[in-house]
Amino acid sequence: MDLNGKTKGQIEAAVTTALTQFERDFLGRGPKQARAFIVSDLVLVRLTGILSPAEQKVGLEQGGVELIKQMRSRLIETSSPVIVAMIEEATGASVLTMHTDISTRTGERIFVFGLDRDLEMSLNA
């Protein structure tokens, strides 16, 4: 796929915008902050402030952390084809792997996408 002369910063911004929109459309609310980083053949995305006030309250209850993690994990797994397509569109690379975790303590989600090539090197060439 062609990057059409996009810079690393433009691609990182496109990834950030795509995942922020995903959070809004599929999960009901967007993050307070989002940032993407291209590192070699990886795209790292950090979303902060993603838990709703209700989820924050549930997280304080016994078993609440596990419940929130399980629910959010299931939603991401169900939506993974959509997420992968958004990352591939933004980066011009194929996604080989996707990993994610959420912290109910900090309200932060991290995504790591493994790509089929070293995107950072391609952009610096």
Side-chain angles (χ1 to χ4, degrees), residues 21-35:
Q21 193 62 46
F22 168 81
E23 289 276 331
R24 282 191 186 113
D25 292 347
F26 286 83
L27 303 175
R29 63 177 276 135
K32 290 183 179 169
Q33 292 184 323
R35 183 79 200 273

Side-chain angles (χ1 to χ4, degrees), residues 22-23 26-27 69-84 98-101 109 111:
F22 168 81
E23 289 276 331
F26 286 83
L27 303 175
K69 282 183 168 254
Q70 186 178 47
M71 179 192 67
R72 288 283 187 138
S73 182
R74 174 75 55 87
L75 289 169
I76 294 299
E77 286 176 24
T78 302
S79 304
S80 66
V82 173
I83 297 169
V84 166
M98 179 180 84
H99 308 279
T100 186
D101 196 15
R109 174 182 289 287
F111 282 96

Side-chain angles (χ1 to χ4, degrees), residues 18-107:
L19 278 178
T20 298
Q21 193 62 46
F22 168 81
E23 289 276 331
R24 282 191 186 113
D25 292 347
F26 286 83
L27 303 175
R29 63 177 276 135
K32 290 183 179 169
Q33 292 184 323
R35 183 79 200 273
F37 307 90
I38 296 169
V39 181
S40 187
D41 64 342
L42 300 174
V43 176
L44 311 170
V45 183
R46 181 179 183 197
L47 307 172
T48 58
I50 63 165
L51 295 178
S52 70
E55 287 173 318
Q56 291 172 2
K57 241 183 171 164
V58 169
L60 299 174
E61 302 290 324
Q62 185 174 0
V65 170
E66 293 79 17
L67 181 63
I68 293 167
K69 282 183 168 254
Q70 186 178 47
M71 179 192 67
R72 288 283 187 138
S73 182
R74 174 75 55 87
L75 289 169
I76 294 299
E77 286 176 24
T78 302
S79 304
S80 66
V82 173
I83 297 169
V84 166
M86 289 188 312
I87 300 306
E88 290 179 341
E89 173 74 22
T91 63
S94 295
V95 173
L96 302 177
T97 61
M98 179 180 84
H99 308 279
T100 186
D101 196 15
I102 187 170
S103 169
T104 57
R105 187 178 55 78
T106 63

